[in-house]
Amino acid sequence: MPTPPARRPDDLVQLLTRAERLAARRLQAVLAEEGCSLDAWRVLALLSDGEGHHMTAVAEAAFLPPPTLTKLIDQLVDQNVVHRRVDPFDRRRVLARLTPRGQEYWQRVDRAVRAGWPGLDEGDDDLLRSLLDRLAATLEQQARV
C-alpha cells in the first residue's frame, strides 16, 4: 500500500486558521447577545477562577498588548465587573479580579457560550485539546531555541 504524502506545514496552518476563524465567529455571535466582546470574554475567563491576576498575566491570556488591556480593564471596572487592587506582596503591581457582579455576569456568559458551542464526538474534545496543547508547547519551545 502506498504511503500517503507527508502533509506540508502550510496545510496545517490553513486548517488551524480556518478552525480558529469559524470558532471565533460563532463565539462572537453568542457573546454579542450577552453584550460581551471576545477580548472581554478571555479576560473574564481567566479572572473567573477567583484568584487575583497581575495585568501582565491577563494581557498574555487575552492575547492583548498592555495598553489595549488597560483600556478594556478600565471599561470592565466602569461596568463594576472587575476591580483592581494593589498586590499585597508587591505593591508595585496591580491584581485584577471579578466583582460579585462580574462573577454573575461571567456565569451567564459562560452558560450561553457552552450552550452555543458545538460538541465533538465523545473524547474528541479532549483529544483536540491535548493535540493543540502539544503543538503550542512544541512551537513555544522551538521559539526559545
Side-chain angles (χ1 to χ4, degrees), residues 23-98:
R25 254 187 257 144
R26 184 176 194 123
L27 185 56
Q28 286 169 331
V30 172
L31 292 172
E33 292 178 18
E34 298 297 328
C36 187
S37 70
L38 185 56
D39 290 336
W41 176 75
R42 287 183 179 126
V43 169
L44 297 173
L46 176 66
L47 299 181
S48 69
D49 66 4
E51 303 292 321
H53 292 274
H54 297 117
M55 299 301 278
T56 304
V58 178
E60 289 174 6
F63 306 107
L64 294 172
T68 304
L69 175 68
T70 298
K71 289 177 189 172
L72 177 59
I73 292 291
D74 287 345
Q75 292 169 358
L76 295 172
V77 167
D78 289 345
Q79 297 168 8
N80 193 27
V81 175
V82 170
H83 65 87
R84 292 179 275 216
R85 296 286 183 257
V86 173
D87 184 339
F89 300 109
D90 183 350
R91 300 199 54 79
R92 298 169 295 172
R93 300 181 89 178
V94 172
L95 297 174
R97 64 178 69 223
L98 294 181

